[in-house]
Amino acid sequence: QVQLVESGGGKVQAGGSLRLSCAASGIIGIIFRNKAVAWYRQAPGNQRELVATLNGIGSTNYADSVKGRFTISRDNAKRTAYLQMNSLKPEDTAVYYCAVDRATGQGTQVTVSS
């Protein structure tokens, strides 16, 4: 069973950057590399929103709200996925979760002040 641990969240001012990490365990690299990885976020009072996805062949998709600012990537040898977030806005404030199949982690809080 896959376990995921997100890290890298924090508090930044608008315009700043953060890099989130998602470390997977309970899965070997050769299988992890073929899995799609997704990042979601959920702000207080809002539904969970899909932010970005990266499949096993390197195709990516992004929510319109983050296109051009966020980049999803992965290191299959480390079984880790990343979300590089640049030009952060206050509306990016949320708990960010990664997902592989039906597994998600506990999330990491991102707070962007104006």
Side-chain angles (χ1 to χ4, degrees), residues 23 32 51 53 68 86 95 104 114:
F32 177 79
V51 175
T53 61
N86 299 328
V95 178
T104 62
S114 57

Side-chain angles (χ1 to χ4, degrees), residues 10-92:
K11 297 180 179 180
V12 295
Q13 291 189 330
S17 298
L18 285 173
R19 188 194 195 203
L20 306 184
S21 297
C22 171
S25 60
I27 184 170
I28 60 175
I30 194 170
I31 294 179
F32 177 79
R33 70 187 305 130
N34 292 316
K35 296 288 187 181
V37 177
W39 284 95
Y40 293 84
R41 66 186 180 186
Q42 188 166 19
N46 291 357
Q47 291 187 334
R48 188 168 292 194
E49 174 190 16
L50 179 62
V51 175
T53 61
L54 171 60
N55 68 13
I57 59 172
S59 296
T60 59
N61 278 292
Y62 297 92
D64 288 343
S65 59
V66 307
K67 281 181 181 177
R69 300 188 298 122
F70 290 12
T71 303
I72 188 172
S73 62
R74 66 198 298 164
D75 184 332
N76 292 322
K78 295 182 179 179
R79 294 170 294 164
T80 300
Y82 304 96
L83 186 68
Q84 177 67 45
M85 307 186 295
N86 299 328
S87 302
L88 283 161
K89 303 175 181 180
E91 50 264 44
D92 295 319

